[in-house]
Structure formats: C-alpha cells, structure tokens
C-alpha cells in the first residue's frame, strides 16, 4: 500500500493492509555508513565530481550545494561536511560519496519524492477546512520528514485545543510512479478530554464550591451541558488562575497567590484532574485614599469625592481598576484623550491596610485630527460619518466617541462589539479616531412556513434590504398568510433626506383579519383594512426624536360566520345580523368605515444597540387623532418605557412598562353601545402578556346556553367573546440567562420573566334578549320571536281552510307587542332557547404571570417557546401554559 513513516507518528505505526517499503535510515546514520569504509589520505586533490541518481535536479545544481570543487584538496572531514550539507537541503532521501581513494568523486543521490496529493482520513469532529490551514506541505512540493513531523504536531495541537488530548495522527505515504507519493494523515480523534475533578488545596476563607464557581472551567457532570467549559484547555487553566487571583483581590486578599496549578491525566488517559495549591494571605482594608492631578482643569478634592470607596472599606482591586477607568473617562470628557491615570499603592503589613493614591499625569488637550473608516465595501462613507458625534477639528470628547460607536452599532450593518479606536496624531495635541468595520449581510429574502400556537399554519414570503444601495435606506415587501390573517405590505424609509437628518418613508398595505372564537370554533367577524401611511422623523436633541405620521384606512367589518345571519330578518335578502347567535355587541360593530388619522411620537432613546440592547433605556409617547375626514373620530394615546442593564456574569436584566387610552369623539349609537368600535380598542393576551390565551385578558361576554326547560346543557355550550377595552397597562420584568459555549453554538437564549397587565374601561353592553321567567320554577323560558316582513311587520297565518277550499291569506300587523292577530289567526314566530350572558373582566385589577422561555435559532427557522403560569386572574380570563412559534420572527 505504501511506506509507513514510523518516526513521524504521534502513536505507533499501524500495519498496512498491503506490504510497506521501509524508508532509508536517518541522515546522520547514512552519512556515517557512507564514510565508514573510506580511508582517505590527507590533502588529496579532487580530479572530478560526478553526480548519479538525480532525476529532477541538474548535476550542476547538486554540486553547487557542496563545499567541494575540482582541483581543491579534500579529506575525510570535508567529505563528511559535504554529506551533511546535501542532506540539510532536504532534497534527498539518501546521499553517498564514492571514489574518495582515487580523487574521482561519485556523488550517488536518491531524491526525495514529490507530493502528488494530501489526504485526510478519520477526521469527523474537525472538518478539513479547519485542518488544512495547519498543514504547510502542499501538492507539488518536495516531501521531507521534518515538514511532515511539523504538520503532525500542528494537527495534534489543533485537536488538543478542542480538548481531545487522546487524538493521534499517523502519516503514511503511498508510492506512485515517477518518484511521486500520496501523503495520507490518518487521524484517530479519540474522546473529548473533560475535567473530571478540580481540587483546591490551601483555601480556608472560601469553600471549594465558591472558588470553582469563579472559574471558567467546570467539572464534567450530568447537569453541566449548558456550562460548556468542561473540556480541558491549557489556556483556560491559566485564565482560571487569573480569575482566582481577581476574586481574592476583590475581597481584600492582596497577598494571594497561586503556588501551583497541575493538570494530570486519569489512568485511562481520557479525562483530567486539576489541582490548585493556593496561599490566601491576610485580608487588607483601604488606608488613605487620595487623588492627585497634574492637569490644572481638575481639582483633586472634587475628584476624590467620585472615588467609590473610602478609608476602612475592605480592599477591592476591581474598584481600583474601575476608578482608573472612571477618571480616564472623566479626563476624556474634557478633551484629554491620553490622560495617564496611575494608582500608587502603599501597603502596611502591620496594620493590614492598603493606601491608594491616583495620580493623573499632565497631558495636552487633544483635538480630532481625522476620522478613518476602514472595511466598508458596500456602505458609503457618508452613511457612517453622519453617525459620528465628532467632526475633524472638534475637541476630543470620550462621551461623544462612545455615543458614535453606539449609533454605528445600532445601524445593524456591521459586526457586534464594534470599537472606535484612538491613536496619537501628528502632534501631541492631535488624536486620530479609526474604526475597522466588518459588514454583515443586510439583505433578507425569506420564504418560510411554520406553525404557531397563535395562528396555526402560516406562510411568510418577504424581501427586505436594510442598506439599500449602501445608502442606509430600507426597502421591504412582504406577503403573509395564516389561518387568521392575510396581508400584503410594501414600505420604504429614507433616514437622511437630502443629506439632512430628516427621515421620511411610506407604507401601503392590505390586511385581512379574522377574529376567531376558540370556544365557538368559528370566526366572530372579519376585518379587511386597505390603506397607507406617510412617515417623517426629525431629531430634537441627541437622544430625543420626533416622529410624525398620517394614515388613511378603509375598513370593512363583516360577519365571520353564516350562522350569525338571521334568515328570517327583514329585507329581500337574509343579510341581517342575528343577535341571538352573534350577540348584540357584535352586531352593533358591522359596517364600513373610513379612518383618517394624524399622529406623532416622541422618542427618548439611549440604548446601546437597537437590535439586542444590553444597556440604556427608551421612552416613547405617542398620540393618534382620527377625524381629519372619515367616519371615525378618536384620540388614542400610548406611553411605553424600557430599561436594560448588565447584571454581571453575562446576565442582562430588563424592565418595561406601557399603557394606553383611547377617547372617542363620536356619540354613542345607543344605550349600552360603546362609542369606541371594537377594532379600535386595546386587547391583551398571548403575544403581549404571557400565560394567557389570545385576547385572554379583559372585558368579555360569556354566554351559557340553556335547554327549553331553563337548565344548562350538559355538552360544552359556554361561549366567550372578548370585547377589548379603552384603557390598558402592561409591565414586564425579564432576565436573560447566559449559557456556556455548547448551548451558544446551538443558538439558545433562555430567560425568566414576570408579566403584569390589564385592559378595561369598555361600556357594559345591554343583554341580547330578556327571556321570560317561569313563575313556578323561576327558570328562564324560550323566547318567541315573530317573523317579520321586508317592511318590518309581523305576520299572522290564517286558520286551516275547510276541505276543498283555497288557503287563506297571511295578515300583517304592526311590530308591536300590544298588537294581536285576528281571531283564529296564529302569529308566525320562532322559538329561541334561553341563554345567560355575563359581562366580566372589566376591571383594572392586575393580572400576573411568571415563567421562563427560550429562543432557539433552529436549522428550520427561529423558534420561541414560553412556559408561563398565571398567578393572578380575573373572572373570565383564559389562561394558557405553553405558547410557541416556529418559522416566524419573535
């Protein structure tokens, strides 16, 4: 099969299935064997030099590598030197020199083969695109043992970085014609080496578990899947020593040191046991704390008041470091970009105190010399430069630099953790700002299908470009279809109109919505909205923006089910809404309306990232007035606020609250009818407050059907129709939990949350019907409903005619309970079984739910699942434990 390179393998050479040809001996041994039988007298003259065995190299090339020339004197030492020189070129597998006794030297060479191709076998955990860059040899290069040995070491090291210390790599060659070979690296990956145990010796103040919790490396346990750092990594071992030192230094142990850190393989060579030996030392307190400044603008006394610790506090190295950063940033606010802040320590071992003096060195005030932007190949320079809060020639200000970074990051066009670096300019008072960008894909073409607990089956086709033509413009179009909604939308946004900080945009859309009643298993009503919106926005200050909008919508609200149509209603066609089926409150909403609205929003935003914020806050106040024409008049006001902040150790906390109220300027159409139509009200439920079903919170009418005797029907005959409210509030508290590298690679982002909210304020609707009561049992009895003509008159059927006589004619009477049919005539009517209607949920009492959820960027689309328990409910609220979405944004 080939030749085994036993001397190069990281493990013993395995036998080939076919016979293997041994490679010649090592170069040094070959040189000794070549010269061993030769006995040359000193000071002999070289008469000729002949090269034999060469195939690719010319004889003159081979001779050029030797220190011997024709006519020169030679001896054994010079011949030995020539051999070593030729072998050091790594062009030859074997070299001998003959004819030393005659002066006619014959150099016999066997050239190293040429590599035809390089093959990797057995690598599963590491793909070829990860290993290939570590291999320095390449096809058409000369094969040498030293280079193969180096490549083997690099591959093994690559596996060790992945925690696979049992991995071995065995190189083999397959001989081909024309002195060519195939080089094969056979990889035995072995299991991943994990940290079985972490032992700590010498700790007295803190327990082993506390110290292990500070380390990045975790012990391999059944529950350690989410931690991810259970594999052994020498670099992480060194990092953990620094983590231990930092932990002790932040707790006042200034003399702490790690005496030794040893990682040992278990007897089966599969896992590691790590042992730390530590010396804790004594605990120190802060002594005198001072600030000295060589910059005239800074008063040491005022700066001393900003130091977050005082004499007598336990020593904390982290607070010292934070103070250095804070003082440096403070200097940057005044234009000193390169202020040198150095803490000076004075340790007193007798009193166990550590005095700290912060010295701010003298530095010139800096000005921005220029701004360098690198790496933007699609995005135009002006799109980035207009986000900088500094211009060339401005005084340096570190707060504006940070704000510039956050604004560029919030564009969403570039990599995460973007930085704006500061370097010394052409003069001591000049600074250069530069940022190295890595552009991300800003175009989105999505064709997805999925299933959600809210909308059942859904399809989404959308195209969106957030950086159209590199100008920062946004262009989008989308089509959505689900069981309860269909829509088509087109929108465009220009963030800087005519290079001015004025954003303009428009949206046009058509949206079909079906309000589905799950208790009835049928659609309550259908709403078709066709319209558009014009938008504009201008900044008022750095953090405050004003957004204006005008919208024009045409709404059509129709019955959602044929069962709600009254077949016996007046008119030539049966198109009347049947209140006994749909409810009086729903029949009152049917019709076409035009909404012409003008609105504005005031936005205060300091978030560090608009996509996934981790610090900052945002407050939005908005109002929309409908009544500039159209048939609907109302004022809808909303306010919302959210705050994000890092909690440490990768945790991110957030608090948000919002509320709204809509006031109608239309008169109420009648008693018990709210002037705000149902489509303009607020709703809460799944999607807003977790732990409740869709529209599961707030005012609703619960209808319980009865049999003709007034008794509840045993079958499920309780219908629930949410009505929404004119006012609502909603609050959320959430903590995003960090995960280890293993879970991060899967795209998991878990969080725990608590939601609080309510919707209320709608007018109590009148009962659909007043059923008569049986005077004996007190139970409700069926209602007799007359069948009306197209003119709204009651009908009386004549008595049965005598045999052989034609039937009589129907007589009409006014639709008045006092009106009676003629003698022997019967009133045409239907019998309506009784039902009970309860109006519930119209209360500002807070509903509370808690739970946890997980976002997962799955291979088949984004996935979100929430498990929430409703702790506080009101009568009529519909709770729901689990909600999820697949294949749609969340």
């Amino acid at each position: 099969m080939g030749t085994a390179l036993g001397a190069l393998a990281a493990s013993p050479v395995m036998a080939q299935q076919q016979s293997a040809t041994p490679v010649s001996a090592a170069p040094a041994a070959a040189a000794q064997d070549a010269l061993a039988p030769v006995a040359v007298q000193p000071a002999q003259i070289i008469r000729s030099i002949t090269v034999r065995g060469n195939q690719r190299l010319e004889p003159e090339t081979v001779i050029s590598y030797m220190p011997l020339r024709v006519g020169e004197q030679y001896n054994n030492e010079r011949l030995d030197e020539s051999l070593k020189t030729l072998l050091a070129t790594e062009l030859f597998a074997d070299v001998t020199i003959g004819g030393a006794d005659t002066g006619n030297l014959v150099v016999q060479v066997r050239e190293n083969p040429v590599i035809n191709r390089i093959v990797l076998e057995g690598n599963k955990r590491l793909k070829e695109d990860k290993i290939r860059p570590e291999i320095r040899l390449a096809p058409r290069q000369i094969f040498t043992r030293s280079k193969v040995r180096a490549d083997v070491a690099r591959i093994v090291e690559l596996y060790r970085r992945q925690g696979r210390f049992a991995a071995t790599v065995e190189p083999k060659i397959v001989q081909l014609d024309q002195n060519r070979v195939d080089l094969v690296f056979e990889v035995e990956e072995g299991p991943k080496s994990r940290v079985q145990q972490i032992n700590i010796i010498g700790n007295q103040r803190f327990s082993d578990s506390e110290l292990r919790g500070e380390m990045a490396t975790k012990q391999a346990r059944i529950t350690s899947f989410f931690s991810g750092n259970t594999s052994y990594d020498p670099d992480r071992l060194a990092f953990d020593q620094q983590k231990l030192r930092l932990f002790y230094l932040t707790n006042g142990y200034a003399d702490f040191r790690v005496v030794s850190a040893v990682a040992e393989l278990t007897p089966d060579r599969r896992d590691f046991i790590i042992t730390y030996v530590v010396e804790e030392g004594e605990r120190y307190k802060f002594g005198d704390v001072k600030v000295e400044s060589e910059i005239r603008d800074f008063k040491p006394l005022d700066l001393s008041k900003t130091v977050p610790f005082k004499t007598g506090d336990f020593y904390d190295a982290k607070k010292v470091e934070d103070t250095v950063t804070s003082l440096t940033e403070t200097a940057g606010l005044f234009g000193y970009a390169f202020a040198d802040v150095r803490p000076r320590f004075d340790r007193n071992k007798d009193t166990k105190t550590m005095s700290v003096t912060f010295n701010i060195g003298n530095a010139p005030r800096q000005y921005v010399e220029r701004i360098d932007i690198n790496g933007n190949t699609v995005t135009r320079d002006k799109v980035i430069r207009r986000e900088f809060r500094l211009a060339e020639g401005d005084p340096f200000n570190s707060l504006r630099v940070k704000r510039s970074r956050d604004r560029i990051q919030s564009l969403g066009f570039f990599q995460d953790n973007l930085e704006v670096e500061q370097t010394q300019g052409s003069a001591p008072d000049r600074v250069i700002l530069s940022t190295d960008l890595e552009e991300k894909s800003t175009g989105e073409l999505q064709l997805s299908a999925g299933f959600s607990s809210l909308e059942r089956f859904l399809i989404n086709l959308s195209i969106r470009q957030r950086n159209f033509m590199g100008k920062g413009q946004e262009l989008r179009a989308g089509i959505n279809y689900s069981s309860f909604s269909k829509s088509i939308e087109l929108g465009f946004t220009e963030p800087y109109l005519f290079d001015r900080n004025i954003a303009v945009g428009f949206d046009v859309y058509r949206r079909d919505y079906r309000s589905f009643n799950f208790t009835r298993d049928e659609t309550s009503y259908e709403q078709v909205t066709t319209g558009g919106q014009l938008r504009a926005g201008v900044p008022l200050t750095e953090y405050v923006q004003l957004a204006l909008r005008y919208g024009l919508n045409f709404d059509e609200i129709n019955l959602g089910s044929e069962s709600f149509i009254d077949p016996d209603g007046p008119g030539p066609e049966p198109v009347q809404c049947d209140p006994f089926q749909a409810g009086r409150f729903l029949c009152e909403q049917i019709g076409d309306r035009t909404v012409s609205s003008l609105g504005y929003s005031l936005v205060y935003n300091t978030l560090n990232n608009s996509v996934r914020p981790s610090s900052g806050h945002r407050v939005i106040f908005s109002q929309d007035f409908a009544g500039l024409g159209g048939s609907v008049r109302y004022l809808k006001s909303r306010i919302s606020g959210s705050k994000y902040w890092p909690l440490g150790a990768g945790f991110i906390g957030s608090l948000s609250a919002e509320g709204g109220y809509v006031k109608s300027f239309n008169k109420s159409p009648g008693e018990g009818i709210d002037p705000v139509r149902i489509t303009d009200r607020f709703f809460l439920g799944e999607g807003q407050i977790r732990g409740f079903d869709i529209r599961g919170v707030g005012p609703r009418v619960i209808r319980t059907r009865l049999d003709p005797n007034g008794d509840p029907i045993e079958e499920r005959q309780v219908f629930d129709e949410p009505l929404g409210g004119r006012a609502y509030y909603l609050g959320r508290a959430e903590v995003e939990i960090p995960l280890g590298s293993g879970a991060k690679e899967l795209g998991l982002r878990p969080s725990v949350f608590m939601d609080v909210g309510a919707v209320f304020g709608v007018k109590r609707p009148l009962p659909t019907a007043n059923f008569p009561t049986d005077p004996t049992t007190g139970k409700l009895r069926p209602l007799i409903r007359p069948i009306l003509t197209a003119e709204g008159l009651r009908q009386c059927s004549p008595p049965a005619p005598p045999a052989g006589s034609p039937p009589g004619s129907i007589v009409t009477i006014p639709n008045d309970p006092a009106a009676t049919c003629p003698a022997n005539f019967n009133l045409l009517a239907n019998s309506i079984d009784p039902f009970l209607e309860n109006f519930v949920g119209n209360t500002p009492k807070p509903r509370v739910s808690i739970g946890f959820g997980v976002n997962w960027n799955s291979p088949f689309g984004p996935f979100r699942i929430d498990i929430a328990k409703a702790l506080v409910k009101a009568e009529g609220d519909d709770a729901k434990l689990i909600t999820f979405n697949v294949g749609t944004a969340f």
Side-chain angles (χ1 to χ4, degrees), residues 422-434:
Q422 306 150 30
T423 56
Q424 183 66 58
S426 58
D429 62 344
R430 295 290 184 267
V431 61
I432 299 173
L433 302 181
S434 62

Side-chain angles (χ1 to χ4, degrees), residues 54-73:
N54 55 307
Q55 296 180 352
R56 298 184 305 274
L57 299 175
E58 297 293 332
E60 292 79 6
T61 303
V62 178
I63 295 173
S64 68
Y65 288 118
M66 300 173 57
L68 298 177
R69 296 293 182 269
V70 175
E72 294 181 352
Q73 295 182 349

Side-chain angles (χ1 to χ4, degrees), residues 699-716:
R700 65 195 59 246
V701 172
I702 298 178
R703 177 184 292 189
T704 305
R705 290 192 177 276
L706 307 177
D707 62 18
N709 296 323
D711 296 321
I713 299 177
E714 294 182 1
E715 298 179 0
R716 185 172 177 266

Side-chain angles (χ1 to χ4, degrees), residues 59-91:
E60 292 79 6
T61 303
V62 178
I63 295 173
S64 68
Y65 288 118
M66 300 173 57
L68 298 177
R69 296 293 182 269
V70 175
E72 294 181 352
Q73 295 182 349
Y74 70 95
N75 53 26
N76 285 345
E77 293 178 354
R78 295 201 65 190
L79 292 176
D80 184 58
E81 181 184 356
S82 297
L83 274 176
K84 292 179 179 180
T85 302
L86 289 174
L87 291 171
T89 63
E90 295 189 336
L91 297 173

Side-chain angles (χ1 to χ4, degrees), residues 31 41-42 166 239 332 365 375 381 484 636 655 700 818 860:
Q41 297 298 325
F239 178 68
R365 178 170 291 177
D381 257 26
F484 307 125
K636 182 177 288 188
L655 287 175
R700 65 195 59 246
F860 47 85

